[in-house]
């Protein structure tokens, strides 16, 4: 059947005038075709900007959400090759902090990862903010994948980040649980992540349904949600994400 998710509006507070767009996506027959609705387009494209951060610009963030194994990291990697984004993975930052000699949070992070639970938000947000500050010379546009995973994460982001950065939208990679499980088990054969085992996978799926899906619904109500089907192969999903970004930005101009 043909699926007609409505993409939300992407907002940004730049030094330029704010421009907003809305698109509808038709995902049917495996074609993954992205079709803009002409009646919903404004005459001007929203300016994402390709310049590096300056004192009068805030960091701008796109959250990338989806279940475990939906391809968040893979698609972010591809996007950074095609667009001037910096990719930050909340999970990678936590694992790096866990493995860092002398980390006072290492054991706590490992315990939460093993149990498939969400790490205390203050730890995650401060790791993200520190890394964003280090990367600002590269770009002031950030893709953050795997965050926020819960309403508590949202609260922590607002508390720590406040107005220091703007969240302009959320890319949601929607994928069936059976497909995500298959991908994770395949990944476990090559990457050796400690959380890629059946026991932890089930816990992570439960956490995702209980805690993260309400966050996705929250952004949908805020008209900031952009949904892409992630059930197809990597290249098909990548083409859909790329098309969305090119429609929403002037990076290709």
């Amino acid at each position: 059947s043909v699926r007609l998710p409505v993409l939300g509006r992407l907002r940004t507070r730049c030094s330029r005038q704010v421009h907003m767009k809305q698109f509808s996506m038709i995902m049917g027959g495996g074609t993954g075709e992205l079709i803009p609705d002409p009646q919903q387009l404004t005459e001007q494209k929203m300016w994402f900007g390709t310049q590096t951060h300056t004192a009068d610009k805030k960091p701008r963030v796109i959250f990338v959400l989806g279940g475990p194994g939906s391809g968040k990291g893979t698609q972010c990697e591809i996007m950074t090759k095609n667009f001037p984004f910096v990719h930050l993975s909340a999970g990678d930052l936590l694992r790096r902090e866990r493995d860092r000699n002398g980390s006072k949070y290492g054991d706590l992070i490992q315990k939460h990862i093993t149990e498939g639970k969400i790490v205390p938000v203050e730890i995650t947000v401060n790791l993200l903010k520190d890394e964003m500050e280090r990367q600002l010379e590269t770009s002031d546009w950030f893709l953050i994948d795997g965050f926020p995973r819960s309403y508590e994460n949202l609260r922590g982001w607002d508390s720590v980040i406040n107005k220091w950065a703007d969240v302009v939208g959320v890319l949601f990679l929607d994928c069936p649980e059976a497909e995500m499980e298959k991908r994770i088990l395949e990944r476990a054969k090559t990457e050796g992540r400690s959380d890629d085992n059946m026991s932890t996978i089930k816990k992570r799926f439960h956490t995702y349904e209980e805690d993260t899906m309400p966050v996705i619904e929250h952004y949908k109500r805020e008209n900031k949600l952009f949904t892409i089907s992630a059930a197809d192969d990597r290249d098909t999903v990548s083409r859909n994400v790329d098309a969305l970004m090119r429609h929403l930005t002037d990076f290709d101009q």
Side-chain angles (χ1 to χ4, degrees):
S1 61
V2 177
R3 188 167 176 234
L4 295 166
V6 177
L7 301 179
R9 291 175 181 167
L10 186 59
R11 299 185 176 94
T12 181
R13 298 180 182 87
C14 304
S15 56
R16 300 189 180 201
Q17 180 182 359
V18 174
H19 304 298
M20 294 181 292
K21 280 184 174 181
Q22 191 171 52
F23 289 88
S24 62
M25 176 176 292
I26 296 178
M27 303 289 290
T31 62
E33 185 179 5
L34 179 68
I35 303 176
D37 183 344
Q39 295 181 348
Q40 294 178 330
L41 298 181
T42 60
E43 291 182 357
Q44 295 174 294
K45 284 189 175 184
M46 192 193 74
W47 184 73
F48 260 44
T50 59
Q51 301 176 10
T52 55
H53 178 79
T54 58
D56 62 342
K57 284 187 180 180
K58 292 181 181 181
R60 290 164 287 181
V61 174
I62 296 177
F63 290 136
V64 182
L65 295 178
S70 60
K72 299 183 294 296
T74 298
Q75 294 304 321
C76 285
E77 237 181 85
I78 295 171
M79 278 190 279
T80 57
K81 295 176 181 177
N82 298 331
F83 304 100
F85 291 122
V86 172
H87 169 215
L88 301 181
S89 164
D92 286 351
L93 290 174
L94 287 168
R95 284 184 285 270
R96 188 173 73 185
E97 177 65 19
R98 174 198 63 189
D99 297 337
R100 184 176 64 83
N101 288 334
S103 170
K104 63 180 180 180
Y105 300 119
D107 291 342
L108 179 64
I109 292 172
Q110 178 58 34
K111 182 175 185 292
H112 280 74
I113 288 176
T114 301
E115 294 176 355
K117 295 181 179 179
I118 296 173
V119 174
V121 64
E122 288 78 10
I123 297 174
T124 307
V125 175
N126 278 293
L127 289 174
L128 287 167
K129 186 172 187 290
D130 288 347
E131 191 63 23
M132 289 169 69
E133 288 175 336
R134 281 193 286 269
Q135 296 280 359
L136 279 174
E137 291 302 316
T138 303
S139 174
D140 60 354
W141 272 97
F142 295 87
L143 298 169
I144 298 181
D145 87 67
F147 186 92
R149 292 180 182 270
S150 66
Y151 272 114
E152 181 68 8
N153 277 182
L154 280 177
R155 182 201 62 76
W157 175 271
D158 290 340
S159 175
V160 175
I161 302 298
N162 198 4
K163 297 181 179 180
W164 182 76
D166 285 330
V167 177
V168 298
V170 177
L171 172 61
F172 172 43
L173 297 175
D174 190 13
C175 191
E177 184 174 315
E179 176 63 23
M180 291 190 289
E181 181 178 311
K182 183 176 74 173
R183 293 177 184 178
I184 293 171
L185 293 176
E186 282 298 314
R187 182 174 68 189
K189 297 176 183 178
T190 57
E191 295 187 13
R193 280 175 40 173
S194 62
D195 54 341
D196 282 351
N197 59 79
M198 188 55 69
S199 174
T200 303
I201 288 170
K202 293 300 184 184
K203 293 175 184 176
R204 290 167 66 196
F205 282 149
H206 177 76
T207 299
Y208 169 67
E209 287 293 333
E210 291 292 315
D211 295 334
T212 307
M213 283 307 297
V215 172
I216 290 166
E217 290 299 319
H218 165 79
Y219 281 114
K220 183 177 180 180
R221 290 191 297 271
E222 294 289 314
N223 291 320
K224 287 188 175 184
L225 188 72
F226 298 80
T227 299
I228 296 281
S229 172
D232 292 317
D233 62 90
R234 180 183 65 181
D235 291 341
T236 300
V237 177
S238 176
R239 285 195 297 271
N240 292 333
V241 172
D242 186 273
L244 173 62
M245 290 299 167
R246 292 190 187 281
H247 276 301
L248 290 172
T249 74
D250 60 1
F251 283 157
D252 59 342
Q253 301 298 311

